[in-house]
Every structure is written in structure tokens, then in C-alpha cells.
Amino acid sequence: MPSGGEFDLIARYFSRPAPSGMLGVGDDCALLSPAQGCELAVSTDMLIEGRHFFPNTDPGLLGHKALAVNLSDLAAMGARPLACTLAISLPCIDEVWLQAFADGFHALSRESRCPLVGGDTTGGSSGVVLSITVMGEVRRHHALRRDAARAGDDIWVSGTLGAADVALRLVQGRLPPDPARLQAALPFLERPVPRLKLGRYLAGVAHAAIDISDGLLQDLGHILDASQCAAELWLDALPADPVLDGLPEDVRRDALLAGGDVYELCFTAHPRRREQIEILGRQLGLPVSRIGEIRRGSGVRVLDAGGQALTVEHQGFDHFAESV
């Protein structure tokens, strides 16, 4: 263990200078100052070894993903990152592991301009446990809330769907070995890209948004519940990632509708915003696909190419019933 124990560990791996105007690591609390006219957006996610990531996960990739999945929540609110905190429980001190984890974490922290300003470290008896809190700012009354979808809205999704789910199935042996497919799919699972720019540009344009962490149907369902409305999805309009090509239809459909770890944005907007959203996607170099409509009522109907409703059993990831 490094000399000095916990505080030397923090200083060695997690202390970085705070930006001007902030008080960061080294005091009882961090101090932040959101811009005038903005609201503070705050989100916390926990990642547990064995449930959310494999014990042999590359620590550098884990450092990136741990922060990325939290930044994705800020993107879904249309917020600009301000800072983050990290609480980490470790079964033992492995300096090589810690250095790689810290490098991955701080690389994305710098890229996203979301400095680490505090947190906690402790020893634990089992595997690694990570808890990250991100803080951001969004212009007052411009946040993309889940309860803001309206009947008649288009439903959109960014990027492609299904690749992370395919990677997980291959790693777990739930699909026949396919090295080429795994190589193409694995980056989607291990190194997600939070859609921060898209989220910020959608603030004031879209009505409601959510990031797809637990599956399209499940996460869209959160919007529908909060907004008290229904949805119609068009299966053929879902942007399937090319790594799904050649897979059995039931696997492909489940990956598209229920596959988690996507971290793309699902959002709703008035039809008059279609051209604006398409232009925005081209400007960002990011595909955006119109995949359905918000309706009055409740629940989701998934329609095939002939307009027939499909029966869908698996809705998405259950954090209490499933693990990696």
C-alpha cells in the first residue's frame, strides 16, 4: 500500500487542480458556481463489479466508462458538465490498476471539461464498487425533462442500437464465438460516448429526453410514464448497428428493443423540428433517426413493416435481477 494510506492514494491518483472559480479536492466540500440564469443538474450512478462490469475489465476502459455513463445523464438533460465526484471501494490497493483506472477517468474528465473535485476512498471485502456524481448546468426552463413529451411528438434516437448488447452476449457465451463481430462490437460496450453536444443543442428544441442505458423500450417507458402518454415505434426505422447483420431475427430484435449499455439519446420533439434536428445531426456527424410517435394513452406498440403490432417480452435490464 502506498505510504500515507488513503490520503496519499487520493493525492497520487485523484487530485487534480480545480478550474478557476472552483474549490476542488482537499477540503470538506467542493465549491461550484453555476452561471447566472442556469439551474444545477446533478446525477449519481453506481457501478458494481460482477453486476455492471466484469472482474477482469481493463481498468483504463473502466475509468472511462464509469465517468461516461454519468455524463450521459447530463447529456439527456441538455446540461453542460461542471464537475464530478468519485467514491471508490477497493478490496486491496493495486497501484498498477489504480494508475490505469485514473488515467482513463481523467482523460475523459479533461475531454468533457468535467473536473474531479472530490469524493471518497475506502477498503471493501469484496469487489470494486464505484459511485460517481456529476454536476452540470442548464439554462433555466430549458432542461430536457422526462415529463415533457406531448401527443403528436416525433420520437428520435441518436447513433445506432444493439452493438453493446451483441458484445455482451458474445462475451458471456450466449452467441456462438465470432471474433470479428466481437472486435467490432466491444468498443460500444467498453467505451461509450456520452452525447453531450447533442444534448446541449437539443435543449430548447426537443421536449423530453433520456439516455438508453437499460434498453430502448424500458427507458422510453420512463418518458411515457412521466408524461402520461403512449408511443408507437416502427421496428424497421430503428437504426441497427452493422454488427447485428446476419444474426437471427429474434436476437436482432431483442438487441434493438431491449439491449442496454447504449448511451445514445432517445428524445421527443414537435414535427416542425424535423428539419432542424436532421441538420443538427449532420453538423455533429451523428446519425439521428425518427423511430416513432407519441400517442395518447399508455404503453408502447411496436409495429412491423406491415403495420402489425408485435409481442415483445423482454423490456430491458433489471438491476436487481441481472448482472454481467
Side-chain angles (χ1 to χ4, degrees):
M1 182 173 181
S3 61
E6 175 189 0
F7 299 106
D8 187 59
L9 183 154
I10 293 170
R12 187 177 296 204
Y13 299 109
F14 300 117
S15 291
R16 297 290 187 278
S20 177
M22 290 186 188
L23 179 64
V25 176
D27 222 304
D28 291 309
C29 293
L31 298 178
L32 312 176
S33 299
Q36 186 175 3
C38 287
E39 297 177 297
L40 188 65
V42 181
S43 179
T44 299
D45 264 327
M46 184 178 292
L47 284 82
I48 301 172
E49 182 180 319
R51 180 162 293 276
H52 301 108
F53 61 91
F54 295 103
N56 62 349
T57 297
D58 179 284
L61 293 174
L62 180 60
H64 170 96
K65 184 171 182 177
L67 180 55
V69 302
N70 284 269
L71 290 172
S72 185
D73 287 330
L74 291 183
M77 295 292 290
R80 180 181 76 85
L82 283 178
C84 62
T85 64
L86 166 66
I88 181 169
S89 173
L90 301 166
C92 62
I93 300 300
D94 179 337
E95 293 192 58
V96 173
W97 189 97
L98 271 168
Q99 187 63 66
F101 175 87
D103 287 346
F105 187 97
H106 288 300
L108 182 57
S109 171
R110 290 191 298 271
E111 179 185 332
S112 59
R113 298 183 180 179
C114 187
L116 181 65
V117 295
D120 191 25
T121 60
T122 187
S125 58
S126 55
V128 176
V129 178
L130 305 165
S131 181
I132 295 173
T133 297
V134 288
M135 291 149 281
E137 61 182 16
V138 59
R139 281 191 297 162
R140 195 173 301 278
H141 308 307
H142 279 69
L144 300 170
R145 296 168 50 136
R146 294 183 184 181
D147 63 358
R150 305 168 188 172
D153 276 2
D154 293 327
I155 303 172
W156 297 79
V157 69
S158 64
T160 60
L161 302 176
D165 184 73
V166 169
L168 183 60
R169 289 170 186 256
L170 287 166
V171 171
Q172 292 178 326
R174 293 188 289 131
L175 285 175
D178 188 333
R181 196 187 301 271
L182 178 61
Q183 183 179 14
L186 206 53
F188 291 88
L189 179 66
E190 294 183 332
R191 197 175 175 82
V193 178
R195 301 303 185 185
L196 289 164
K197 283 187 178 180
L198 176 62
R200 288 179 63 188
Y201 290 147
L202 287 175
V205 173
H207 287 155
I210 193 168
D211 73 324
I212 309 171
S213 56
D214 296 328
L216 175 61
L217 286 181
Q218 183 157 297
D219 288 319
L220 175 59
H222 297 319
I223 289 179
L224 303 180
D225 290 344
S227 299
Q228 298 184 335
C229 53
E232 180 179 284
L233 290 183
W234 312 315
L235 184 64
D236 284 5
L238 300 183
D241 193 88
V243 302
L244 275 64
D245 292 349
L247 290 174
E249 184 57 33
D250 61 330
V251 173
R252 177 185 172 90
R253 183 186 301 176
D254 195 56
L256 289 171
L257 294 171
D261 267 314
V262 180
Y263 301 104
E264 295 294 346
L265 298 186
C266 176
F267 56 96
T268 79
H270 193 281
R272 67 171 176 267
R273 298 290 194 174
R274 287 177 190 172
E275 183 178 3
Q276 185 177 1
I277 290 169
E278 289 168 351
I279 291 172
L280 174 58
R282 289 195 294 271
Q283 289 174 339
L284 294 176
L286 176 64
V288 287
S289 304
R290 188 163 59 92
I291 61 171
E293 295 179 355
I294 297 294
R295 305 288 196 186
R296 298 188 186 279
S298 61
V300 182
R301 294 176 72 236
V302 181
L303 305 183
D304 64 15
Q308 297 299 309
L310 301 172
T311 299
V312 181
E313 296 181 1
H314 188 202
Q315 298 290 310
F317 183 79
D318 184 338
H319 290 263
F320 285 91
E322 300 181 57
S323 58
V324 294

